[in-house]
Amino acid sequence: MSVHISHDSINSNSTNFNAEESIAKAHEAIESLSSILGDLPSPLSSDNPAASLLHNTELAAKISSHLRQPNSGAGNNPLCRWLYDTFQSSDPNLQLVVLRFLPIISGIYLSRAISRKPLAGFEAVLLALYAHETTSRAGQAITVTIPCLSRSSIYHESKVSTNSNASGLNIAVLSPSLEPHGTVRATKRARIVGVALELYFTKISLMPIGSKIDFCEFCMNWAGHKDDKEQSSSSEMRNENESVVKGGRNVSIIEGEERRGRIPLPWELLQPILRVLGHCLVGPNNSEELTQAALAASRCLYERALHEVNPRAILAVESLLKLAKVAMDSTDKTDPTEIYEDNIITL
């Protein structure tokens, strides 16, 4: 499978599908998928096949199992080809199906990339998502305007005289402008996956709970989390691992890192990760299972940030944990925008 992406050909925002076309495309996708996975669950033949593809737990487990196979990310992998073609269909409903499996794709890809295995299949899917965002943003960065306390608002009256010449807004860049990429280089890997996760975040309210739990579990792996069994055996295996060296590279240690999934976490990757975790922690209608999974993932990332003495990461993850604690402990349903006479303070 070629991983080159034509950036001019991807612009789903300008393509409109009626209901009949969308259903027809979904049925075509189901037929193609059945030739790869074999028998599929019968509910996929419903009047809304795209929704069945997105929410069917039995199908999700089957696809997840195939994505976790040792050769799943190869360039000739038929499931990666299906995911790539399905996203390139430009049907928004089918694109959601591909995004549903982004946590598994990015999780396995980033964990295996450190061993320099050929992963052209995964990279093709990730580049398709990246190219979609590149075209959608039209060269513009994603920014947010930060409130300035030196200017009066409906909540307060400022006593500081503002200079008429200093009327510029405080603007923070959430995601810089994107440059096209036709291949995934090691130096751009985190940025490309991070942008794919930013796209996932924009659709996260439409994602099934299982997809979000998959993401939380991979976050724990990325942070280098080890369970009790791994911790007890790590000291016994250390001497043996360190003794196996080939070509100047420690093969056993690399395989161990892939198994645990610990990866570099630069800010361009950590920032979208924390956005997704933020939704999983305090988003509306979240299940208890999802909240606990996100809390465990956040704690693992916090331990990783402390271990690496990364001030930026420490502040971000600690703020996320405090926000989650407030959300879980708070029983006050008072509207913060409502002003009561007893709360008026004379300055």
Side-chain angles (χ1 to χ4, degrees), residues 101-122:
F101 297 100
L102 179 61
I104 296 178
I105 294 171
S106 57
I108 297 175
Y109 171 71
L110 290 173
S111 298
R112 292 180 182 175
I114 60 175
S115 60
R116 302 181 183 179
K117 291 183 178 180
L119 300 168
F122 285 154

Side-chain angles (χ1 to χ4, degrees), residues 36 88 91 94 137 153 174 181 184 221 242 288 308 324:
I36 299 171
Q88 295 289 61
D91 185 318
L94 291 177
R137 298 185 189 182
S153 71
L174 294 181
H181 292 298
V184 180
N221 293 338
E242 292 177 351
E288 180 65 20
E308 295 180 346

Side-chain angles (χ1 to χ4, degrees), residues 152-171:
S152 300
S153 71
I154 61 174
Y155 301 109
H156 80 291
E157 187 73 24
S158 175
K159 292 186 176 181
V160 180
S161 59
T162 57
N163 188 345
S164 59
N165 295 328
S167 59
L169 298 175
N170 296 324
I171 298 178

